[in-house]
Amino acid sequence: MPRPRTIKPFIPLRISGVGAYLPPKLLTNDDLAQFLDTSDEWIRTRTGIRTRHILSPEEVPAEMGIRAAEKALAMAKRNPADIEFLLVATNMPEEPIPGTAPYIAQGLGLEKTPFADITAGCAGFVYALALAGALIQTGVVGKALVIGTEALSRFVNWQDRATCVLFGDGAGAVVVEAAPGPAGILGVALRGDATKLDLLRIEAGGVRLPASAETVRTGKHFLQMEGKGLFRAAVRMMAEATRAAAVQAGLRLTDIDWVIPHQANLRIIEALVKRLRLPPEKVVVNIDRVANTSTASIPIALEELVRDGKVESGQILALTAFGAGACYGTVILRW
Ligand code: ACO
């Protein structure tokens, strides 16, 4: 059997820049216990979360995305004008029409660049990265900016201890460029299971249930979650997608140097580690500090890994996520 590292990427590309932004306001578990029937001990032991960053009322997710993108562009030594496609993964648009991507394009000065929002739950960044790869592979674009930005703090019920303690706000961005060579996407497994649609929803505010005094009165604009069902599904989904992406890449799981899972719950990550028999030291965890930042979770963790100088050229990374829909998937790439 050939050594896995000699396998050519099926999409030769380079992540030339990574950036992240976390809003300065920090909310600790003890802060939450001031107004909720909860405790630092419960939140830490059930989720692994200690702190989360919260967007101030004056800021919007597009601004977080712009700041993350500026850092990614600076690392890539690229100007906004070099970008040929902007993909923004987010669950809650800046406005229902026109979404978030045009606000980010405007803020970055991308006046003629095509852009699109991608909604695929918390798997949105993985989906968007795979789509950017496909656009690069087919020659449609040569350089893309992929952003995940999220402020779920705006959509949780701060009286509902079962959901509000879990989320944090933030953004992450990558510049992806066509680059012949050994780096690139080795395997992609995107999956969906719409039978799990009811596990995570915001019922009101769309066309199915437009906003009304009644929807506000009954709290239907808040995130509703079936935590236990999601927990079980999450572990199975990320494991299945990671195995499938590894098979497509012609790799063994032991060939993977870094696994970056969606940061939804430390116990979910630990169960994934067990199911895939991964060495825990290869699995990136920052949920303790940033909580679940949804579409921003993977690029924020990736940025930390890169900034800490831990990723070496030639290493193999698996990015895996699950979320509302249920959408899930894994992208395996060689750095
Ligand atoms: N503080 C104290 N007690 C709490 C809290 C809290 N913050 N939240 C719930 N409890 C209580 C419950 O009321 C319940 O009390 P009861 O036994 O008297 O009824 C008890 O704790 C146990 O609750 P469970 O729901 O059984 O707790 P569980 O161990 O399942 O943990 C959790 C709940 C953390 C939500 C877990 O199920 C989970 O992480 N699920 C997955 C969540 C997830 O992945 N969400 C996002 C997915 S998609 C995306 O990322 C946007």
Side-chain angles (χ1 to χ4, degrees), residues 8 54 60 191 198 209:
K8 278 193 184 160
I54 303 291
V60 285
R191 298 276 192 273
D198 287 338
L209 187 58

Side-chain angles (χ1 to χ4, degrees), residues 35 41 77 114 135 224 275 277 313:
F35 61 91
E41 204 261 337
K77 299 192 173 56
L135 289 170
Q224 313 279 344
R275 189 174 282 218
R277 300 208 183 106
S313 174

Side-chain angles (χ1 to χ4, degrees), residues 28-79:
T28 66
N29 294 344
D30 286 334
D31 294 334
L32 287 165
Q34 302 283 315
F35 61 91
L36 274 177
D37 181 14
T38 190
S39 65
D40 173 58
E41 204 261 337
W42 193 96
I43 302 171
R44 259 190 306 103
T45 53
R46 297 292 179 113
T47 72
I49 299 166
R50 292 169 186 270
T51 60
R52 72 283 291 139
H53 293 257
I54 303 291
L55 196 63
S56 73
E58 299 76 39
E59 286 178 291
V60 285
E63 287 167 16
M64 296 197 290
I66 291 164
R67 290 181 192 212
E70 284 168 345
K71 292 181 192 169
L73 287 163
M75 179 178 162
K77 299 192 173 56
R78 294 288 179 195
N79 297 311

